[in-house]
Amino acid sequence: GSGNDDDKGGHAPDKLGKGEGKVNIIAWAGYAEDGSNDPKVDWVHPFEKKTGCQVNTKTAGTSDEMVSLMKTGQYDTVSASGDATLRLIASGDAAPVNTKLVPNYKDIFPALKQQPFNSKDGRMYGIPHGRGANLLMYRTDKVTSAPDSWRAVFDDAARYDGHVTAYDSPIYIADAALYLMSAKPSLGIKNPYALDQKQLDAAVALLKKQHQAVGEYWSDYQKEITAFKGGDSVIGTTWQVIANLTKAEKAPVKAVLPKEGATGWSDTWMVSAKAEHPNCAYKWLDWIVSPKVNAQVAEYFGEAPSNRKACAETAAPDHCAIFHAADEKYFQRVHFWTTPIKQCLDGRKDTDCTDYAQWTRAWTEVKG
Amino acid sequence: MRISRTARVALGCVTAAGLAIVYVPLLLVLLNSVNTDRSFGWPPSGLTGRWWRAALHSEGARQALLTSLKAGLAATAIALVLGTLAAYAVHRHRFFGRRTVSFLLVLPIALPGIVSGIALNAAFRTVLDPIGVGFGLFTVVVGHATFCVVIVFNNIGARLRRIAPSLAEASADLGARPWQTFRYVTFPAMRSALFAGGLLAFALSFDEIVVTTFTAGPGTRTLPIWIYENLARPHQAPVVNVVAALLILASVIPVYIAQRLSSDTAGGRL
Amino acid sequence: MPAAPTPGSRLRLTALLAPPLLWLTLAYLGSLAILLLSAFWTTDSFTSDVVHTWNTDNFHELLTTPVYRTIALRTLSIAVAVTVVDALLALPMAFFMARVAGRRWRRPLLVAVLTPLWAGYLVKAYAWRVMLGENGVVGAALAPFGLHGPGYGTTAVVIVLAYLWLPYMILPVYAALERLPERMLEASADLGAGAWRTLRSVVLPVVRPAVLAGSVFTFSLSLGDYLTVQIVGGKTQLLGNVIASQVTLDLPMAAALSAVPVVLIVCYLAAVRRAGALDSL
Amino acid sequence: MQTQARATTRTGPAVRLEAVTKDFGTVRAVDAVDLTVHEGEFFTLLGPSGSGKTTLLRLVAGFEQPTGGRIELAGDDVTGTPPNRRDVHTVFQDYALFPQMSVEQNVAYALTVRGVRKAERLARAHEALTTVRLDGFAARRPAELSGGQRQRVALARALVDRPAVLLLDEPLGALDLALRQEMQTELKELQRTTGITFLLVTHDQDEALTMSDRIAVVRDGRIEQTGPPVEVYERPATAFVAGFVGTTNLLRGEAAVRVVGRPGTYSIRPERILLTDPAEASAREPAEGSARQSAESSAETSADGRRTVTGRITDIVHAGAHTRFTVMLPYGDRLIVHRQNLTGLPESARPDGEIGLSWDERDAFPVPS
Amino acid sequence: MQTQARATTRTGPAVRLEAVTKDFGTVRAVDAVDLTVHEGEFFTLLGPSGSGKTTLLRLVAGFEQPTGGRIELAGDDVTGTPPNRRDVHTVFQDYALFPQMSVEQNVAYALTVRGVRKAERLARAHEALTTVRLDGFAARRPAELSGGQRQRVALARALVDRPAVLLLDEPLGALDLALRQEMQTELKELQRTTGITFLLVTHDQDEALTMSDRIAVVRDGRIEQTGPPVEVYERPATAFVAGFVGTTNLLRGEAAVRVVGRPGTYSIRPERILLTDPAEASAREPAEGSARQSAESSAETSADGRRTVTGRITDIVHAGAHTRFTVMLPYGDRLIVHRQNLTGLPESARPDGEIGLSWDERDAFPVPS
Ligand SMILES: Nc1ncnc2c1ncn2[C@@H]1O[C@H](COP(=O)(O)OP(=O)(O)OP(=O)(O)O)[C@@H](O)[C@H]1O
Ligand SMILES: Nc1ncnc2c1ncn2[C@@H]1O[C@H](COP(=O)(O)OP(=O)(O)OP(=O)(O)O)[C@@H](O)[C@H]1O
Ligand SMILES: [Mg+2]
Ligand SMILES: [Mg+2]
């Protein structure tokens, strides 16, 4: 059916009832720790104790997996990134959220509220959880020029032939688009997530060229860390947390936010339109962005918390500084992941933009 | 055939080299389980026992192990029953389409896990979901049992080919009813094959990840899934190494027992 | 000898066959049918919802987009390469184990070959990732000879897949070699054949079905793998990866893509069955 | 239920087959066989490989169902009855001992499945083992026995609950000669003392002749002749029987006219031919009236009904108890002569020697071909 | 290399074993055996199961290496030579045909491995197949042949390049009697026409006696006696040989004194004993001087060197060519008597009849025990 039906996706509740005793969660690894991996890292059990809602967690590896898991209707809530949220909203799998029922919502950084990747028609479809930028990381011993531009991994990629790395997802096309915004203004790209066919083709051409110099595409921490540690990758995109961990393992790496700015992600806890346990889901939403828990998650996962009070709760006093949590200037340069759709997100009406399916096929072609 | 000394030595060297290659990565896993680094790495930067301590206290690993054991045992049990029945039908009867049965039984293991996985996923969603059966341990067991059947089928089939049919006849001849024949004669003769087949089926289920990914429900986390999730997580990789190391060490026992029990050549057949 | 059908045995046969066949049909063939059927549907490009309108767009796209052909061919060659590597490794190893090593050594050797099956597929793949890395064990071992490790890429994929599936090849070959009557080898020598000749004329024909049986595993497991590729494949993508990336997004397309390995494997199995190798599985 | 079967009064012969036919696909293994085995009889099915002997036995045991005809045991129609409900036991060619059970457990098996109490079971198993002289072997496994011992365990197992009929499928086939002869004597003895009906299958004519009360010669799924050993041997109904049961000189067509003196097919057993001096042979008086002395015949018939002929010895083989002479007659016919190794061999019984042969006219008996 | 071997002038017997010993762990399978097989001879190793016959053959073929001693082929020491470099071929008991090759390919194998051209190879394979009368079967697989046919393929395969020595390990063991006898004749014929040295292993005395030029009787890894069949049969060197080669009445201790008239161990072949009327027996004149007529003896020796005795018949079995009588002598000794089924049986030769037995004194020959 069509994704634009307003009735789809159900309605936000006006008030909460008693907990159903259970909640099924889809989360990124590290977002819903119950101490089973490390007894010290546990914010699920306190939640269960407090609310009586038993938590079942399914860890998803990619945004796409989250979308398909949500479609099963077995889950109540999901920590969706911007490249998944719009799809969930459009398909009616996610319900609007009544932020009044989430007391901690008021402390969320305003810059995260009512964003294109978490709202529609002025209604919030979730509670922002945390954010981060896709940085440029390089090995200081192999890359001596101290790059400050994405040019290093695009037009200059051949210099590090076979040792360039990139994020393994169609959304990475946006990184190329972002670079083209400044490198080739003639293309007229205004929003890296709103590309018409011509712009997409240009991005894909750039990525195909980059492909020749790429050593590998990464999709998880472990791969990225070992690649930089071992020297298989010397330059490429990264997350702040990976950079920190790689440094902790004594690898000579440095991560920068290049002058063109960067893509990034901002995760949102959404509620399923078919949620069987909506009350517990709301309780979870409030719990996970409460200052203390938000701080815990942000530190464990390595991201900027969404609750401004969380900065006071972190174990490492400079966590918020390192991750630029309150640095709105920093995040102004970050274009958060948004699902590309047919209607151009930059407001163009004269042309159709390419959608995520096209991006996916383009990405398959880039990788060859 | 007389194999020259040189050839023997050469073959021995190839085998030794082969085994060395087989074991180097496993040794690396062992080594990494005491490596101070948080991620896989070479060379190790120092030795520590903290991962072992962490692993032994990891509730998640324990839970996952338990889930895997449950799934493996259930799948193996189903496979044992179905595989034995099928083997009996194919090796003790003549009927039209006999060879097609073996062909069909091989399919689930021969087709790529991802195909089986998404097929089962699609089927469960369209059939089970509407009747209120959600994804969970049950669906995992169904998926695993499907590709484990052929393992049991092959093992029992190989054994049946070697058990003289006259044994069962002798039993009937001496007045035994069919179930008595099964209990006193056929089952004892098949026991070791059942064990070997069951063990291999269990091993297969125990290490399966792709089909599991697509058939597991929320909160159903088998050991491979746990490993997969935790490998992608910076804090956990060393603990995964410990778990893997433990598995390697523990697996020698069942494999050895299986070898002993089946005086049969290869002990198990795939 | 299988008994001829009589009324009683027919009843028993039905009782024997019904449960496994029902299971197979309901749980597996039914699922496959549903999957292949859904290849004829399409997906709403934005919501990823399946649109139940019958069409052959997916297959059309599959056949007309060159990149899919490239990937299918690459996957096929990797599967073939893995199978060949495994056969080349398994033959001498199995031969040594079954025919050269003393009787006492057979069981320990077999245990040694089988044990890694339990070690966890992912863990082993990651271990290889470390070994094949720039500063890994493989590089270090090759350095004195002035050689480089293969790095991450298709070569690495072949190596690691071959490593992972090796036991699946050794086992049937070993079993076949062990069953080969000593008499055959003696007869050959007796008639004047040297070791090589005997290998070629007597041993190889007997081992062939076993290799084929083993190849069912090495070939089909390689054909569908996508995790190993993610771990050591560098920028390589195989059919499995494409299916995996499509499955959450566009199930009908993934289903259409799945038809490729299904067709390949069914053809392969049919060929192997003709050679009588399914019995030596 | 076996006890019941035994309790009913016997109303017929131990085994009766009426027009029994068995097809395997297109192969007719048994072809309209009628057969009656009397109670207490030692009956043998003798025939070449593939003639359908085993199939017949399996039909009686109930492992196969006939395509047509009916099978009776002790007068009861058992045509559809499964093996476990027939009062017959089988001794299999490969013995089919249960490998995981001890000798004792094997022997007691028929009692175990009938739920006989342990004490009685053991007592009767030991009794059966004593009968076959294996009482010291109760605890061993079959794998720890020699071929002959296994054979006896199989026998004890089949005898333990005294079935009405014992079926034996080439029970001695796997043994070597010395052991086979020993076991033949034992089997016969056992049958005598137990009084059980034995139905034995063999392709060994010596075995059939020395052990049986009656023999049925099987060929291509049909029975060619049934009768006591002497009858089958001395008066074979067909040329096939003559050739299969014992060695024979078969003479047909011209050869028959020349040697026997009449057209037709005749069989002369090699041991029925006497070697004599050629002089002696020609000295014999021809029979009165030369009607019997045909022109083409190379032999003569004397007055006392003995036929004589001379020939040349082409081969002499000392076969232990007897010597086998191959004698070439004029016109190229060849006769095999067996002579027990006693004294008094004629002078000329040496390679290439001229020799006389003589036999009672009645020993050259006609056989339908 | 085989052609070379054949080209060298033969300097010794076809096969010679000198003090050859073979141990398997603690089992001594072959124990210091000396053996010479002459060129063109049909030599047979005869012995019971487990006596070491196969091991001896395998030592000659080169499949096993002796623990001690030396082995010569045609005068060359081949003790360390591998099988493929010895000019001998083996016909295995289970034939060991290559299942994946056609009959033709099997037969041509020895030529193929020597690189003989295809045309010649095929020609010679067909020649060999013709020799064994299987020329129409070239294209079949072994699985499509009957037992007897397979046996002949194995033979053709071993004969195709005319080895100096052919080794045969119970080649007829798996065949049924009729086929076995037929194949015996064929084998013997083949050996005669080809002139190849045959070394045959068997446990069948008939086979050994009828086919061989010389026999070696093997027991427990040692050779008990070597000689032509007649000699081994008529003059067995040991009681074991007497018992194993043919049926015999062995008399020891008291029985010997009573029956033979002297202490010691004696063997009397059952076919050497004549059945006579008891009256006739007692009418015989005792020998002059009663030294030979001992008090305990139940038998008497007549002047013409025949010994007579009377007994009671306890069992008569018609065994086809001969009848077997079991005669109980006074004092409980039992004699087996074989009598060729000819006319002129004494009146009293019926169950329980009183009968006279007589034999030439020389037929009761002493055997070392
Ligand atoms: N189960 C079966 N299926 C098909 N054909 C069979 C089967 N059993 C026997 N036959 C065929 O029936 C015929 C008779 O076989 P049977 O085994 O009764 O012979 P036999 O006289 O016992 O021979 P042997 O002495 O070799 O044991 C043969 O031609 C055989 O091939
Ligand atoms: N490979 C072996 N390992 C150990 N013992 C062996 C081996 N081969 C033979 N023997 C032993 O050597 C002895 C002689 O065996 P062999 O096979 O030569 O006897 P055989 O005379 O051929 O007997 P059969 O007539 O049963 O074939 C036996 O005791 C046997 O158990
Ligand atoms: Mg038979
Ligand atoms: Mg032997």
Side-chain angles (χ1 to χ4, degrees), chain C residues 3 9 22-23 32 45 49 59 72 99 114-115 127 138 147 156 163 181 207-208 249 262 276:
Chain C
S9 80
L22 267 180
W23 178 284
L32 271 186
S45 58
D49 282 334
F59 287 104
R99 291 265 155 203
L114 287 178
T115 304
V138 174
L147 297 168
Y163 171 82
V207 160
R208 215 181 48 183
L249 216 61
V262 170

Side-chain angles (χ1 to χ4, degrees), chain E residues 13-14 64 82 139 157 209 253 264 297 342:
Chain E
E64 308 281 1
R157 184 176 70 174
L209 289 172
S297 173
L342 269 164

Side-chain angles (χ1 to χ4, degrees), chain C residues 88-108:
Chain C
L88 290 180
L89 259 176
L91 283 171
M93 285 180 74
F95 191 85
F96 179 84
M97 288 163 59
R99 291 265 155 203
V100 180
R103 220 155 243 295
R104 278 181 310 134
W105 281 99
R106 283 186 197 168
R107 189 155 292 163

